[in-house]
């Protein structure tokens, strides 16, 4: 089974922002997961009413649950990539021991 890479986007982005990097990693044989955090609420035209009340801890909880689920599926923890706010989330996942490696892009 291919090693999984969990890619976490920044505050003003969506999972699709990882497109070229995700494509390259996939071509190199990795399984890539690049979700949009709270996709049901993160909409440009009509953001969900609850979005403004979320904290970094809420996003960390979401991505922690996803990392744990990927670990259960694969039998090993994913590598995590994070950009901006996603980098902070990725760091928290690494601190909690939920990932096997981390790449943090804090700009």
């Amino acid at each position: 089974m291919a090693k999984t890479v969990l890619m976490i986007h920044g505050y003003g982005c969506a999972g699709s922002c990882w497109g070229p990097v995700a494509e390259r990693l996939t071509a190199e044989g990795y399984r890539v997961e690049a979700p949009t955090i709270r996709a049901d609420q993160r909409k440009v035209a009509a953001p969900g009413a609850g979005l403004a009340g979320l904290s970094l801890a809420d996003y960390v909880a979401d991505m922690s649950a996803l990392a744990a689920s990927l670990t259960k599926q694969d039998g090993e923890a994913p590598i995590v990539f994070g950009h901006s706010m996603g980098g902070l989330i990725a760091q928290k996942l690494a601190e909690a021991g939920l990932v096997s490696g981390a790449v943090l892009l804090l700009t």
Side-chain angles (χ1 to χ4, degrees):
M1 179 178 287
K3 183 74 174 170
T4 299
V5 175
L6 172 58
M7 306 187 88
I8 305 174
H9 62 79
Y11 180 75
C13 302
S16 60
C17 74
W18 290 106
V21 178
E23 289 173 16
R24 178 58 189 256
L25 289 170
T26 299
E28 293 294 329
Y30 292 91
R31 174 181 164 213
V32 175
E33 295 289 332
T36 297
I37 303 171
R38 303 271 174 136
D40 61 322
Q41 295 181 13
R42 294 177 63 88
K43 299 178 193 300
V44 175
L51 191 61
L54 295 175
S55 69
L56 181 64
D58 295 315
Y59 293 131
V60 170
D62 289 351
M63 293 296 99
S64 293
L66 179 54
S69 174
L70 293 171
T71 299
K72 186 174 182 179
Q73 289 174 27
D74 298 345
E76 63 180 319
I79 299 167
V80 67
F81 279 48
H83 170 255
S84 189
M85 178 189 75
L88 293 174
I89 295 168
Q91 183 177 5
K92 291 298 196 184
L93 298 183
E95 289 173 356
L98 296 172
V99 299
S100 62
V103 177
L104 310 175
L105 306 166
L106 304 174
T107 57

